[in-house]
Amino acid sequence: MELRASDTTIPAGDVRLSGDLVVPAEARGVILFAHGSGSSRHSPRNRMVAEALNRYGLATVLVDLLTRDEESVDDRTAALRFDIGLLTGRLVSIVDWLSTGEPAGRLPIGLFGASTGAAAALSTAAQRPEQVYAVVSRGGRPDLAGADLPRVRADTLLLVGGLDDEVLRLNEQALAELDASAELRVVPGASHLFSEPGTLDQVARQAAEWFVGHLPA
């Protein structure tokens, strides 16, 4: 499959963020990744999922939602990774940037969120209902989206490891708040990081199939 890959600088309000954009030939959509809990665009788990999405003909954007100075602060305090308002604001700006069509063409947009990034993805979907069509959460904390959950209109898939009891409980609570077409699926034998053999492959496949099935043609 022919891929166009590039390092890119993304405008997000009053800052500029570093990102990696991969666009397959004749892409059917673009998926923006929202990491969380101290991770970055270099996360091997997110990169594995992104490569799977590329094979399904989906463009991907992996981006560091914090600047280098902010990452230094977060490394010491772990505070900014839980600042859902800040992360959401950055994601909204990137969605608006993607919607111009300049980065990857005018493609329907989906969001893939992990950990606290899942809450920011859902809040972004609530704020941009006409631009974000689908959301997938991997081991996420959708509960942290709070009052935004009932406002989400994007089709939403919540993927949780079967061994991740507390996060599973929080996802069940969030599912009850989601008004959109939402589904919770449990990956058997998986812990929070999906480090068990084959479990991340299941996440990648289910995420790809969800986006392909829920983004407009």
Side-chain angles (χ1 to χ4, degrees):
M1 175 184 293
E2 182 182 349
L3 299 173
R4 174 168 59 87
S6 60
D7 298 331
T8 186
T9 301
I10 301 172
D14 57 354
V15 302
R16 299 182 73 80
L17 304 172
S18 299
D20 298 324
L21 173 66
V22 176
V23 184
E26 300 182 4
R28 63 178 74 191
V30 58
I31 311 304
L32 170 59
F33 279 65
H35 60 76
S37 298
S39 186
S40 75
R41 76 184 194 279
H42 300 297
S43 160
R45 289 179 293 275
N46 279 350
R47 286 194 168 273
M48 177 184 168
V49 173
E51 289 170 3
L53 299 186
N54 296 151
R55 291 193 292 272
Y56 276 75
L58 295 164
T60 52
V61 181
L62 289 95
V63 59
D64 290 330
L65 295 177
L66 301 177
T67 65
R68 288 187 178 180
D69 288 344
E70 290 168 342
E71 286 176 350
S72 296
V73 172
D74 191 62
D75 286 341
R76 297 193 305 272
T77 67
L80 295 179
R81 69 190 66 176
F82 288 100
D83 189 337
I84 305 304
L86 172 65
L87 300 178
T88 299
R90 300 279 167 85
L91 285 175
V92 167
S93 293
I94 300 169
V95 166
D96 290 344
W97 173 73
L98 288 171
S99 296
T100 66
E102 180 180 348
R106 293 193 177 276
L107 298 172
I109 297 170
L111 301 177
F112 182 94
S115 190
T116 53
L122 286 164
S123 289
T124 299
Q127 293 187 30
R128 292 293 185 270
E130 296 183 358
Q131 292 162 268
V132 177
Y133 291 91
V135 177
V136 174
S137 162
R138 172 185 64 80
R141 289 291 308 276
D143 55 296
L144 295 177
D148 282 334
L149 286 173
R151 299 171 50 225
V152 175
R153 296 293 174 265
D155 295 335
T156 301
L157 175 62
L158 307 176
L159 293 169
V160 183
L163 304 179
D164 199 4
D165 294 337
E166 178 63 14
V167 170
L168 177 57
R169 182 183 66 81
L170 294 169
N171 272 255
E172 289 171 341
Q173 292 177 359
L175 182 67
E177 296 293 323
L178 283 165
D179 232 8
S181 172
E183 186 175 336
L184 171 62
R185 297 180 188 170
V186 176
V187 179
S191 59
H192 183 62
L193 294 179
F194 296 86
S195 55
E196 295 75 15
T199 57
L200 194 58
D201 291 322
Q202 293 185 52
V203 168
R205 177 181 56 79
Q206 293 195 52
E209 291 175 353
W210 186 265
F211 286 126
V212 169
H214 292 84
L215 293 178

